[in-house]
Amino acid sequence: MKQEAPATDAIVIRGARQNNLKNLSLSIPNGELVVVTGVSGSGKSSLVFDTLYAEGQRRYVETFSPYARQFLDRMDKPQVDAIEGIPPAIAIDQTNPVRTSRSTVGTMTELNDHLKLLYARAARLFCRECGKPVVRDTPESIYASVKERPDQRLIVTFPVSIPKNFTESEVLQLLERQGYTRFHSRTKLMLEVVQDRLRIASVEKSRVIEALEAALRVGQGKVNIWLEEGKPWKFSTHLHCPDCDIAYSEPTPAAFSFNSPLGACETCRGFGRVIGVDFGLVVPNESLTLRGGCVRTWQSPSFKDCQDDLVKYAKKRGIPLDIPFKELKPSDKTWVLEGEKEWVSWRKSWPGVWYGVRRFFKWLESKAYKMHIRVLLSKYRAYTPCLACNGTRLKPDSMLWKVDGLSIHDLMLLPISRTKNLFDELQLPAPLDQAMDLLLAEIRTRLKFLCDVGLGYLTLDRQSRTLSGGEVQRINLTTALGTSLVNTLFVLDEPSIGLHPRDMGRVIDVMKRLRDAGNSLVVVEHDPQIMFAADRILDIGPGPGERGGEVVFFGSPSDLRKTNTITAEYFSGRKKAGAPPVTGVSRKFLKIEKASQHNLKNIDVAIPLERLVCITGVSGSGKSTLVQDVLYAALRKSKGKPTDTPGAHQGLRGADNVEEVVLVDQTPIGRTTRSNPASYVGAFDSIRKLFSNSIDSRRRKYTPGTFSFNSGNGRCPACAGKGFEHVEMQFLSDVYLRCPDCDGRRFRAEILEVKVGGKSIADALDLTVSEALYFFRNEADLVAKLRPLKDVGLDYLRLGQPVPTLSGGEAQRLKLAGYLAEAGGTESKKLFLFDEPTTGLHFDDVAKLLRAFRQLLDAGHSLLVIEHNLDVIRACDWIIDLGPEGGEAGGCVVCTGTPEEVARHPDSHTAKALRDYELAFSRDLSLDKAEDNSGRYLGTSIQIHNAKEHNLKGIDVEIPRNRFTVVTGVSGSGKSTLAFDILFSEGQRRYL
């Protein structure tokens, strides 16, 4: 299409040819929110990240020293003729590089650093024994405390301890030399020396202060005030509890950090967990009985005597041997696992008492110097909470310091939304210096940013490695907000991931704030709400892979509706992604009873089988907890397979209706670059076999192993078949360079001489899936293995593309392709659990995904999907909506039913989103504000397209802005429908 003339203030790209881009040239205005969309594989990431951001990064690298550039200059540069006007660029993508459990939301956002400063300067200390506040007393404060008491005769004393290398007489002589001869009490270890006797009401303040100062000086900061009757009042000028005689160290910021040896728990070293015995692995199948061998460890000949001991002592104690372990009383389960308290030692002086599973493993650990014992122990070990710090990660004394009654760990466990409210109302005692005011302001600002992007349900203690790509991206977005950058290019990769439609407006507001501050935003996105909010939409296409790489549209969202691109077909509502749901009620159900893990509120959930079921709800409502922590683990355990301990629930019914459960999430398939889509679906074996059967291969006696880059003599010896060299940069990220011997093709030159259909094995691996389906069209077995990749929308991937380079959504669909290949050849009925499978998918790719789901359903399987995408929700057979809010305000079943039934619910956020989505696409209304917050003019008219409300016949209407317009017509012609039911109600809805 014809390109616009370059703007004076714009990023101008000329001749971009990276990956599948077709010599693309365009001008992207600065200071705008530009959404880049298009089908998967069309070239969006190639343009935005591999070209635009990579060039900005390359120019930054040019400022490095010559030593660093001697390596970096060999890196592949973006394939582009020129890029002009590019500002400094920051990429905020979905990758979560964190692998250590020391990183938390608090450390990522630097809130931990601010909080440890706050606690070191403003927290109050409470004694570990009596729980009373520990304060520093002064003569003035002691006098004020005594003055408030009833007027009695008082005795001011100070304690003097008798050191071990001194006698009592020696200490008395020293005191007498200083004029102290009167004692209130005397023991072998302590002398209570009288400083003064007085009646507080009849003496001057100066005498009392003088007595207190002298007593504190000689008593090393300790003084006691005795009444005529009763116990003394104890005071101290140090961090010392006078009642319990416990001294505490001075608070430092490091004492509140689990990443510092000064603050970290000495047992778990700040991790909060230790490696211990996981009873879920010891008793993996709770449907077995004690006699039937539920304790897996004791079913080998080596430990048969332990199984015999279990049966013998269970008979003596009257514990049932022939009922399933899960039906035993809790006390009986504890007896089996923990043993009896009277136990002395195992296999020595045996008193005839049951030792239990835990003591058995403790005995095993004493034999860990033997290799086979270490191997055995490794099978039953898992991370368990540290008992020394109870999972707080900090030393016990750090928990004694509190702000507003909360220790720093208590604060970390609160949802961020509650933490924000707490700090908004927090009033610290005076005096406060300017630094503390700045510290509080910074904490409040960062907490507000986190809530603004919909992360208020997270806790600061949440481990970073457990966050989704969307959550990591939004956390990084808040960091960008906090830096107050201007004239910067922000490149974002689907910030809507993991967000419910209810919360999408928050992310849109954050992006607009960055834009209005003078920054440019280029966002790869498919969500309609963000596309509606964009200043411009750049549609890349028209198809995936080699059929993409071109600009098919670049303009305003309202103009996109009028075009005929694939995106416009869905964006305008002319085409829908999902097929109609299955009618009829399923006769088979899976029922979870009284689930109470994390924030789940003791809920009962019935899941129809052989149907497409969606779990919906706002972020943090409990979806992943229900599906992954409770259902998946409980089903695995019911099938006798190893798994983590299931989340808290009372029962699981209907497990017999499912033969196997499969979790298909977005975790990487593998970390090795040797794995690729062809090898994952088994097609690479067929390709190697095909090449080994060629005439040249038979003449040279090549085998299928010769055409493997993982082993054998066919791979390049320089890079061992990797295709690249790894250079360690020490002070920078490691660099991967194309192998100079094979030029990245992985094989020896003579191997590449063997051709099939004019292509070498390297050429075959460089084919996209769609190209390979045509090229190998006569090989039925190979085509059958590759077709599932096309069915799930991955036909743009190259056969040899390393699996680690795939996005989370692509990895999930690759797993789905593998199961599709198996679906027709197995009679086992599986329950598939998907976690946001639409990540990174265009409208048209969602349609392909739904068709793939229906293939699994047709094969008799069941699908349970955690999803926010409204196209999938509308096309599912049953919805289970959790909420109503996230975090502590979530964990309830708001409503269940078909999409039509849920859409009618008055209080469900998902129901409202479904109604609004249907309304937006049925009316096709383009209703933009005349001006945004920056005062820029956005358009000259309000455009209504394809209005069908009541008796309106799909009409198009254009209403000029800032004009007095009269709508007229005969009674019943549709005037009120147009003006009030459509125009006014839609404007009010968007405003609200």
Side-chain angles (χ1 to χ4, degrees):
M1 66 179 287
K2 184 178 179 181
Q3 299 297 321
E4 300 178 1
T8 56
D9 186 17
I11 303 170
V12 181
I13 302 173
R14 305 183 191 279
R17 301 177 301 279
Q18 187 72 20
N19 297 335
N20 64 333
L21 298 180
K22 304 290 196 308
N23 204 31
L24 186 149
S25 298
L26 77 157
S27 175
I28 302 175
N30 281 319
E32 291 192 359
L33 171 57
V34 178
V35 168
V36 182
T37 189
V39 297
S40 297
S42 59
K44 304 184 298 297
S45 295
S46 296
L47 173 65
V48 175
F49 288 94
D50 298 341
T51 302
L52 195 60
Y53 172 67
E55 178 65 14
Q57 187 185 40
R58 187 185 68 83
R59 294 186 185 185
Y60 167 69
V61 167
E62 287 180 352
T63 64
F64 289 0
S65 66
Y67 171 74
R69 289 209 310 273
Q70 71 175 328
F71 299 102
L72 300 175
D73 286 344
R74 295 175 60 195
M75 295 177 64
D76 293 334
K77 297 180 180 179
Q79 298 296 310
V80 62
D81 293 338
I83 299 181
E84 302 170 5
I86 183 170
I90 294 177
I92 304 177
D93 56 18
Q94 302 170 24
T95 57
N96 186 354
V98 179
R99 292 292 177 266
T100 173
S101 59
R102 288 191 179 276
S103 176
T104 64
V105 173
T107 59
M108 281 186 72
T109 58
E110 298 179 356
L111 274 166
N112 273 30
D113 296 328
H114 292 79
L115 290 175
K116 66 186 184 184
L117 286 172
L118 174 70
Y119 271 79
R121 301 191 63 178
R124 295 185 65 191
L125 175 63
F126 292 82
C127 178
R128 75 168 73 100
E129 292 293 334
C130 62
K132 296 179 181 178
V134 179
V135 296
R136 301 176 189 272
D137 294 309
T138 64
E140 291 287 345
S141 66
I142 298 172
Y143 176 79
S145 299
V146 174
K147 189 74 173 174
E148 295 175 357
R149 307 299 175 95
D151 185 19
Q152 297 184 33
R153 186 171 181 80
L154 306 178
I155 302 175
V156 180
T157 68
F158 56 87
V160 175
S161 60
I162 300 175
K164 293 182 179 179
N165 55 342
F166 279 77
T167 63
E168 182 179 351
S169 61
E170 290 174 330
V171 174
L172 290 174
Q173 289 176 9
L174 290 173
L175 290 171
E176 286 176 1
R177 291 173 189 171
Q178 301 178 59
Y180 294 104
T181 59
R182 293 181 297 175
F183 301 93
H184 186 272
S185 62
R186 295 166 62 171
T187 66
K188 292 182 179 180
L189 300 177
M190 185 71 67
L191 299 173
E192 195 74 30
V193 185
V194 176
Q195 175 68 41
D196 199 355
R197 300 175 189 268
L198 50 87
R199 186 177 293 275
I200 194 71
S202 60
V203 298
E204 294 182 358
K205 178 181 177 181
S206 58
R207 175 181 169 182
V208 181
I209 296 295
E210 183 181 353
L212 292 173
E213 288 177 345
L216 289 170
R217 182 179 64 255
V218 183
Q220 297 183 343
K222 299 176 184 179
V223 66
N224 299 330
I225 308 294
W226 295 79
L227 298 174
E228 293 177 351
E229 297 178 358
K231 296 182 179 179
W233 305 335
K234 297 183 178 181
F235 300 94
S236 174
T237 59
H238 304 299
L239 282 177
H240 172 268
C241 179
D243 294 327
C244 305
D245 195 22
I246 300 176
Y248 297 93
S249 59
E250 296 289 334
T252 61
F256 301 99
S257 172
F258 50 77
N259 287 325
S260 167
L262 297 178
C265 169
E266 295 178 353
T267 302
C268 64
R269 298 183 180 180
F271 286 98
R273 302 184 302 169
V274 293
I275 295 179
V277 178
D278 186 351
F279 290 137
L281 300 175
V282 176
V283 187
N285 187 358
E286 293 191 358
S287 61
L288 296 177
T289 65
L290 296 182
R291 194 194 305 273
C294 66
V295 182
R296 180 182 177 185
T297 319
W298 294 340
Q299 305 316 305
S300 65
S302 302
F303 302 109
K304 183 179 180 298
D305 53 347
C306 296
Q307 174 67 19
D308 295 340
D309 287 343
L310 173 62
V311 173
K312 179 177 69 174
Y313 286 104
K315 286 180 179 179
K316 290 182 179 180
R317 305 296 185 259
I319 295 176
L321 286 166
D322 298 311
I323 67 172
F325 184 83
K326 61 185 176 183
E327 297 179 12
L328 290 176
K329 293 187 296 184
S331 59
D332 292 342
K333 292 181 181 179
T334 303
W335 179 86
V336 173
L337 300 175
E338 302 291 346
E340 298 173 3
K341 295 181 180 179
E342 295 82 4
W343 181 86
V344 178
S345 62
W346 197 63
R347 291 191 177 185
K348 288 186 179 179
S349 54
W350 187 248
V353 179
W354 170 239
Y355 41 87
V357 173
R358 186 181 296 279
R359 293 191 182 101
F360 164 78
F361 275 97
K362 190 174 182 180
W363 172 80
L364 276 184
E365 288 171 358
S366 68
K367 307 292 182 182
Y369 57 85
K370 300 178 181 178
M371 176 61 74
H372 70 282
I373 296 294
R374 292 200 298 274
V375 172
L376 177 66
L377 285 171
S378 66
K379 295 179 180 179
Y380 299 100
R381 277 178 170 162
Y383 284 106
T384 58
C386 174
L387 298 178
C389 66
N390 293 322
T392 65
R393 302 179 175 217
L394 298 169
K395 291 179 179 177
D397 279 6
S398 300
M399 297 294 100
L400 302 177
W401 295 86
K402 298 183 179 180
V403 171
D404 200 23
L406 297 173
S407 68
I408 191 169
H409 184 67
D410 295 334
L411 204 63
M412 298 289 178
L413 295 179
L414 291 179
I416 290 174
S417 57
R418 279 190 59 189
T419 307
K420 174 185 175 295
N421 295 336
L422 186 149
F423 273 94
D424 287 343
E425 301 173 359
L426 181 64
Q427 297 291 334
L428 294 178
L432 283 181
D433 56 16
Q434 187 177 4
M436 285 301 297
D437 291 335
L438 292 173
L439 181 64
L440 278 176
E442 187 65 26
I443 292 173
R444 288 166 179 156
T445 300
R446 290 174 184 262
L447 290 172
K448 181 180 181 297
F449 286 159
L450 288 170
C451 292
D452 286 347
V453 295
L455 296 177
Y457 61 92
L458 292 178
T459 64
L460 294 177
D461 193 53
R462 173 80 173 267
Q463 291 187 18
S464 303
R465 64 180 182 178
T466 66
L467 298 174
S468 68
E471 288 169 333
V472 170
Q473 187 170 199
R474 292 198 292 281
I475 287 176
N476 292 333
L477 196 59
T478 65
T479 305
L481 272 176
T483 58
S484 302
L485 290 173
V486 295
N487 298 323
T488 304
L489 172 63
F490 287 92
V491 179
L492 284 78
D493 187 10
E494 291 197 82
S496 65
I497 292 174
L499 269 187
H500 191 274
R502 193 279 303 267
D503 300 319
M504 208 67 68
R506 298 177 179 179
V507 170
I508 292 172
D509 288 342
V510 168
M511 291 191 293
K512 287 184 176 179
R513 285 169 62 183
L514 283 172
R515 178 200 64 188
D516 296 340
N519 300 298
S520 305
L521 282 85
V522 178
V523 184
V524 177
E525 189 54 80
H526 302 291
D527 186 87
Q529 287 181 257
I530 295 181
M531 294 171 70
F532 275 123
D535 297 316
R536 297 171 189 258
I537 294 179
L538 175 59
D539 194 7
I540 306 292
E546 297 301 322
R547 293 182 285 117
E550 300 178 13
V551 176
V552 295
F553 173 81
F554 190 25
S556 67
S558 57
D559 291 339
L560 175 62
R561 291 173 173 269
K562 304 173 185 177
T563 64
N564 58 356
T565 67
I566 296 177
T567 302
E569 290 294 313
Y570 290 97
F571 191 63
S572 63
R574 297 190 293 269
K575 197 172 183 180
K576 293 186 178 181
V582 174
T583 57
V585 180
S586 174
R587 296 182 179 180
K588 297 180 181 179
F589 284 85
L590 198 60
K591 296 181 180 179
I592 305 171
E593 297 177 342
K594 307 298 180 187
S596 57
Q597 181 73 3
H598 294 158
N599 66 332
L600 297 180
K601 304 294 193 301
N602 220 30
I603 59 175
D604 297 328
V605 180
I607 302 168
L609 297 178
E610 300 178 4
R611 294 289 187 271
L612 174 57
V613 181
C614 265
I615 304 287
T616 62
V618 298
S619 300
S621 58
K623 304 182 297 296
S624 296
T625 298
L626 176 66
V627 174
Q628 297 183 17
D629 297 349
V630 178
L631 177 61
Y632 177 67
L635 271 175
R636 293 272 299 178
K637 193 172 184 67
S638 69
K639 303 299 178 184
K641 297 184 178 180
T643 182
D644 293 335
T645 303
H649 70 290
Q650 287 188 8
L652 177 67
R653 295 188 179 183
D656 294 338
N657 295 326
V658 176
E659 297 179 29
E660 187 178 350
V661 59
V662 178
L663 178 61
V664 188
D665 57 10
Q666 298 179 21
T667 54
I669 295 174
R671 296 182 182 178
T672 172
T673 57
R674 297 184 184 278
S675 178
N676 53 56
S679 62
Y680 188 81
V681 297
F684 192 34
D685 293 337
S686 301
I687 293 174
R688 291 191 290 114
K689 185 177 180 181
L690 181 65
F691 272 86
S692 67
N693 289 332
S694 66
I695 296 175
D696 288 342
S697 295
R698 290 199 299 269
R699 185 173 63 250
R700 301 182 184 187
K701 298 183 180 180
Y702 288 166
T703 64
T706 308
F707 295 92
S708 171
F709 51 72
N710 292 323
S711 61
N713 298 324
R715 63 180 181 177
C716 170
C719 63
K722 294 179 181 178
F724 60 84
E725 294 178 356
H726 179 200
V727 179
E728 294 185 1
M729 294 295 294
Q730 297 180 3
F731 56 90
L732 292 174
S733 298
D734 293 351
V735 177
Y736 297 89
L737 308 172
R738 183 181 290 119
C739 175
D741 286 14
C742 65
D743 196 28
R745 295 172 70 82
R746 298 188 170 198
F747 295 93
R748 293 177 180 269
E750 57 269 26
I751 303 301
L752 299 179
E753 293 174 358
V754 177
K755 303 290 181 67
V756 171
K759 293 186 181 297
S760 67
I761 183 69
D763 295 331
L765 290 174
D766 202 41
L767 292 173
T768 64
V769 172
S770 57
E771 292 170 342
L773 284 170
Y774 179 79
F775 183 76
F776 296 112
R777 59 189 178 278
N778 295 325
E779 304 294 329
D781 177 63
L782 184 54
V783 168
K785 294 177 179 177
L786 290 175
R787 187 169 298 280
L789 292 172
K790 181 181 172 115
D791 291 341
V792 297
L794 294 178
D795 51 334
Y796 61 90
L797 292 183
R798 299 194 180 277
L799 299 185
Q801 180 174 342
V803 161
T805 64
L806 301 180
S807 67
E810 289 171 333
Q812 193 174 33
R813 281 181 285 156
L814 183 56
K815 297 174 188 176
L816 175 60
Y819 291 116
L820 278 177
E822 301 174 2
T826 178
E827 297 180 357
S828 173
K829 303 307 178 188
K830 299 178 181 178
L831 171 62
F832 289 91
L833 308 177
F834 288 88
D835 186 5
E836 293 194 66
T838 59
T839 297
L841 295 192
H842 183 268
F843 301 104
D844 198 53
D845 299 313
V846 172
K848 294 177 182 177
L849 178 71
L850 289 170
R851 288 195 291 270
F853 281 170
R854 291 297 168 189
Q855 291 183 39
L856 288 174
L857 292 173
D858 293 341
H861 301 297
S862 305
L863 279 80
L864 182 62
V865 182
I866 299 173
E867 192 53 81
H868 295 295
N869 185 283
L870 291 170
D871 286 320
V872 174
I873 296 173
R874 290 193 303 170
C876 71
D877 305 320
W878 193 260
I879 295 175
I880 300 171
D881 190 37
L882 300 184
E885 301 295 335
E888 293 181 335
C892 299
V893 178
V894 178
C895 57
T896 61
T898 64
E900 293 78 12
E901 293 170 345
V902 169
R904 292 193 291 268
H905 195 278
D907 302 322
S908 166
H909 292 301
T910 301
K912 184 180 184 303
L914 284 170
R915 293 194 299 267
D916 292 345
Y917 196 68
E918 193 67 35
L919 184 67
F921 287 115
S922 63
R923 291 178 177 174
D924 202 0
L925 182 67
S926 176
L927 194 66
D928 294 324
K929 296 179 182 178
E931 293 181 348
D932 65 359
N933 294 334
S934 63
R936 294 177 301 175
Y937 193 70
L938 294 179
T940 59
S941 65
I942 301 171
Q943 300 172 3
I944 304 175
H945 302 289
N946 196 27
K948 300 177 182 178
E949 192 82 354
H950 297 325
N951 62 334
L952 296 182
K953 303 296 192 299
I955 64 173
D956 295 340
V957 179
E958 185 171 0
I959 303 172
R961 299 186 195 272
N962 304 321
R963 296 290 185 271
F964 179 32
T965 303
V966 175
V967 181
T968 186
V970 299
S971 298
S973 59
K975 305 185 297 298
S976 297
T977 300
L978 177 65
F980 292 95
D981 295 346
I982 293 182
L983 190 61
F984 174 74
S985 65
E986 180 67 5
Q988 185 181 44
R989 182 186 71 81
R990 296 194 180 188
Y991 171 75
L992 293 175

